[in-house]
């Protein structure tokens, strides 16, 4: 295993001090042999370490230097990939306008190189930063382009991620019916690709959008699916959240006994997790449901 690959493996294991020392050694060796590609790889490893360590501003300068190295070699694909990483570092550094520029430059390089997969990923990242910058129209167009690229390249997981981002944007815009459509397709794709964590979180988003459109019975069905996944995954926090949401929706439907059962179960889960605030909140909703039931409202 080369020093650079060893450093990368240590990074994946989150053994950051050892990874940093190993990548520094690799960088020194590449410098001695004038290996520009090797230097760029090692420098990229250092920049990724900085991002993972919560110091993205330190990565910005390094990624900028790597872009210059790949410009010297004429490698447009690698240049585009590093520009995309630079965009991420700039975004996490609170520099959204510069991030948009980096992502736009990355797209030009990746398209020139014919890297459709990289183009789709960069379009999605660009769409996300445009959302954060309040540029909703541009973000929607960019995410739609990303979805098209992912479909052309048969990247179903990438398509699901971009659909989720677009669904969240439509939800923010109160275009709830559109959000339902996007979340429904994304959840199905996550299920097909075996990504149960994202499937569960997308079902949660779908349930919220269904409630917003007044489709409460459908929201209960979706929440029940999400609850099964959370239990299968051993996600106790997620289980508590879903139980609470289901309880509140069941109460709105007038199914007070079921609502109380779900809300009481949610409180028990939150107590086990040591989250007294959310346990108390779930119990307050359970008391409200009991009160409504005692008044003789239909169950």
């Amino acid at each position: 295993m080369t020093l650079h690959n060893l450093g990368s493996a240590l990074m994946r294991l989150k053994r950051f001090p050892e990874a940093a020392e190993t990548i520094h050694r690799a960088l020194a060796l590449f410098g001695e042999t004038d290996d520009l590609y090797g230097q760029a790889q090692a420098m990229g490893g250092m920049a990724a370490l900085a991002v993972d360590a919560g110091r993205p501003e330190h990565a910005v300068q390094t990624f900028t230097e790597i872009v210059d190295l790949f410009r010297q070699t004429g490698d447009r694909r690698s240049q585009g990939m590093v520009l995309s990483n630079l965009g991420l570092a700039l975004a996490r550094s609170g520099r959204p306008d510069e991030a948009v520029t980096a992502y736009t430059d990355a797209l030009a390089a990746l398209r020139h190189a014919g890297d459709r997969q990289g183009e789709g990923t960069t379009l999605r990242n660009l769409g996300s930063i445009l959302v954060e910058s309040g540029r909703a129209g541009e973000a929607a167009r960019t995410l739609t382009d990303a979805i098209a690229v992912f479909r052309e390249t048969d990247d179903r997981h990438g398509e699901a991620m971009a659909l989720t981002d677009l669904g969240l944007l439509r939800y923010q815009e109160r275009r709830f019916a559109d959000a339902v459509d996007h979340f429904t397709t994304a959840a199905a794709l996550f299920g097909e690709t075996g990504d149960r964590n994202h499937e569960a979180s997308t079902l949660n988003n779908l349930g919220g959008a269904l409630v917003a459109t007044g489709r409460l019975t459908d929201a209960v069905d979706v929440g029940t699916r999400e609850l099964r996944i959370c239990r299968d995954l051993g996600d106790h926090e997620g289980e508590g959240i879903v139980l609470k949401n289901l309880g509140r929706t069941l109460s709105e439907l007038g199914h007070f006994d079921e609502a109380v059962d779900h809300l009481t179960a949610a409180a028990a889960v939150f107590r086990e997790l040591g989250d007294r605030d959310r346990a108390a909140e779930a119990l307050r909703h359970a008391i409200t449901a009991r009160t409504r039931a005692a008044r003789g409202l239909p169950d």
Side-chain angles (χ1 to χ4, degrees):
M1 179 181 287
T2 66
L3 283 172
H4 176 260
N5 289 338
L6 175 59
S8 298
L10 289 167
M11 283 176 59
R12 287 192 292 272
L13 294 171
K14 299 192 181 301
R15 292 164 59 177
F16 296 128
E18 295 169 83
E21 180 184 354
T22 303
I23 293 172
H24 270 302
R25 288 166 57 199
L27 182 59
L29 287 173
F30 289 133
E32 290 173 6
T33 57
D34 292 325
D35 183 344
L36 290 181
Y37 275 98
Q39 290 179 57
Q41 284 185 318
M43 290 169 68
M46 294 303 299
L49 273 174
V51 173
D52 286 340
R55 296 183 290 114
E57 65 282 354
H58 292 282
V60 169
Q61 180 60 41
T62 302
F63 281 133
T64 302
E65 293 172 4
I66 299 171
V67 170
D68 289 338
L69 282 175
F70 282 127
R71 283 199 180 106
Q72 294 177 42
T73 66
D75 184 342
R76 296 298 300 278
R77 180 177 181 274
S78 294
Q79 183 182 333
M81 292 172 64
V82 177
L83 279 165
S84 191
N85 289 331
L86 174 60
L88 176 62
L90 286 164
R92 292 189 178 178
S93 299
R95 298 159 65 178
D97 291 341
E98 293 171 82
V100 168
T101 299
Y103 282 134
T104 302
D105 291 345
L107 280 173
L110 292 166
R111 284 168 174 162
H112 184 273
D115 184 350
R116 297 287 280 162
Q117 188 68 40
E119 179 185 352
T121 301
T122 302
L123 280 166
R124 182 188 166 230
N125 292 336
L126 175 57
S128 296
I129 195 65
L130 288 168
V131 171
E132 293 176 18
S133 300
R135 296 159 65 175
E138 294 174 77
R141 289 190 294 273
T142 302
L143 290 169
T144 300
D145 288 345
I147 291 164
V149 171
F150 286 132
R151 285 176 178 163
E152 289 172 18
T153 57
D154 196 29
D155 183 348
R156 292 180 297 162
H157 193 271
E159 180 185 350
M161 295 293 286
L163 279 164
T164 300
D165 291 341
L166 186 55
L168 290 169
L169 174 60
R170 295 311 189 201
Y171 189 93
Q172 291 173 13
E173 296 175 326
R174 304 186 66 80
R175 293 174 55 175
F176 300 123
D178 289 337
V180 166
D181 290 342
H182 297 318
F183 290 143
T184 299
T185 304
L189 288 169
F190 283 132
E192 291 173 12
T193 58
D195 187 344
R196 303 205 78 196
N197 285 295
H198 275 110
E199 182 183 4
S201 63
T202 303
L203 287 171
N204 184 65
N205 292 330
L206 174 57
L210 287 166
V211 169
T213 59
R215 296 168 58 183
L216 300 185
T217 301
D218 290 338
V220 170
D221 292 341
V222 166
T224 302
R225 288 169 55 197
E226 183 189 358
L227 182 60
R228 284 197 297 270
I229 294 173
C230 288
R231 285 172 170 166
D232 288 346
L233 294 173
D235 179 2
H236 298 302
E237 181 181 12
E239 178 184 358
I241 292 170
V242 178
L243 283 166
K244 186 192 74 173
N245 291 341
L246 276 171
R248 296 188 66 181
T249 305
L250 287 163
S251 183
E252 288 299 314
L253 284 167
H255 303 324
F256 300 121
D257 289 343
E258 290 180 77
V260 170
D261 290 344
H262 282 77
L263 290 163
T264 303
V269 170
F270 288 133
R271 276 197 301 270
E272 290 177 10
L273 294 172
D275 191 334
R276 298 174 63 183
D277 290 339
R278 284 199 284 191
E281 180 188 6
L283 286 175
R284 283 196 298 272
H285 290 303
I287 292 168
T288 299
R290 284 197 187 98
T291 302
R292 294 179 69 186
R295 291 174 180 167
L297 295 173
D299 190 345

